[in-house]
Amino acid sequence: MRKLKFVTTNPNKFLEAANFLAEIELERVDRAYTEVQADTLNEVVKHGLRELADQGFENFFIEDAGLFIHSLKGFPGVYSAYVNRTIGCNGILKLAGNNRKAEFRSVVGLYLDKKINLFEGVCEGEISGEKRGKSGFGYDPIFIPENETKTFAEMEIKEKNSYSHRARALVKIFSYLNPG
Ligand code: IMP
């Protein structure tokens, strides 16, 4: 069994990863890193990986995600954390308009044996008409994945993992570590 650190200040993200990567021994490192203002999640993740590697961390991964609303040309995207802190789910519900198609994107950055690898996951879906559910975090109460009626916040972790952007990125780490 391989041991990996997941560096995240978000306990919910760690629970999702630990539930999904049951075959890997995961340790949570509750440590913040600079989330640079950049145009893509990839750039944010690469910067964070290098910063933590420079501080001496080894064999770890980080993850950055965002909500991209199609009618808003991908907004809030890389600004998702700021927008969540300011206008929050209620603000997004008002902004979304009639075309509510959206997607969550996740980029997991792995720093293993001094090499960087990025893995991406996407979950298509739509913005709900109102906030529903109590589980999860962030935009979970207003996001319904494709072929579902429930929001992420109305799901248990296992069910969210069967659709989520994060799980779809994490499964690629698993294949990378266990090829063939
Ligand atoms: P970050 O990956 O922590 O930078 O996330 C950016 C913003 O998107 C934050 O406000 C998070 O709460 C939100 N977010 C990230 N992943 C998810 C998710 O799986 N569900 C709901 N909101 C999320």
Side-chain angles (χ1 to χ4, degrees):
M1 188 185 327
R2 188 117 206 190
K3 280 192 190 178
L4 275 183
K5 298 182 190 77
F6 183 8
V7 182
T8 178
T9 54
N10 184 330
N12 291 290
K13 284 189 179 184
F14 182 77
L15 287 177
E16 288 178 21
N19 182 286
F20 189 71
L21 294 175
E23 288 89 349
I24 296 176
E25 202 179 309
L26 277 196
E27 178 194 338
R28 177 172 171 222
V29 178
D30 182 6
R31 170 86 162 227
Y33 50 86
T34 313
E35 290 200 17
V36 282
Q37 199 60 72
D39 287 346
T40 64
L41 296 177
N42 283 8
E43 288 170 74
V44 178
V45 169
K46 275 195 240 165
H47 187 279
L49 284 174
R50 290 198 193 101
E51 183 176 298
L52 291 164
D54 286 347
Q55 291 168 11
F57 284 93
E58 287 191 349
N59 300 343
F60 67 93
F61 66 88
I62 59 177
E63 190 259 3
D64 201 56
L67 177 66
F68 295 73
I69 299 174
H70 297 192
S71 62
L72 302 178
K73 301 200 185 312
F75 184 82
V78 290
Y79 308 105
S80 292
Y82 175 76
V83 168
N84 194 35
R85 278 198 304 277
T86 50
I87 62 172
C89 288
N90 289 333
I92 290 291
L93 286 175
K94 288 193 198 130
L95 281 178
N98 290 332
N99 178 358
R100 302 181 86 84
K101 289 231 167 305
E103 65 193 50
F104 263 120
R105 286 190 213 151
S106 160
V107 175
V108 169
L110 176 67
Y111 185 77
L112 187 65
D113 303 330
K114 308 218 183 291
K115 283 201 297 278
I116 285 182
N117 270 290
L118 302 187
F119 305 95
E120 298 180 16
V122 178
C123 175
E124 306 264 359
E126 62 184 53
I127 304 299
S128 56
E130 69 289 305
K131 286 197 278 186
R132 294 200 319 254
K134 296 264 178 279
S135 317
F137 64 99
Y139 299 107
D140 279 346
I142 58 165
F143 185 80
I144 305 171
E146 215 168 49
N147 302 321
E148 250 300 340
T149 52
K150 286 189 271 187
T151 66
F152 272 162
E154 293 177 300
M155 298 180 185
E156 303 283 328
I157 287 182
K158 218 179 175 55
E159 196 176 2
K160 178 177 173 186
N161 274 344
S162 69
Y163 297 105
S164 90
H165 47 304
R166 183 162 303 106
R168 288 175 182 166
L170 288 171
V171 75
K172 295 181 184 173
I173 282 204
F174 193 75
S175 317
Y176 176 78
L177 296 176
N178 303 282

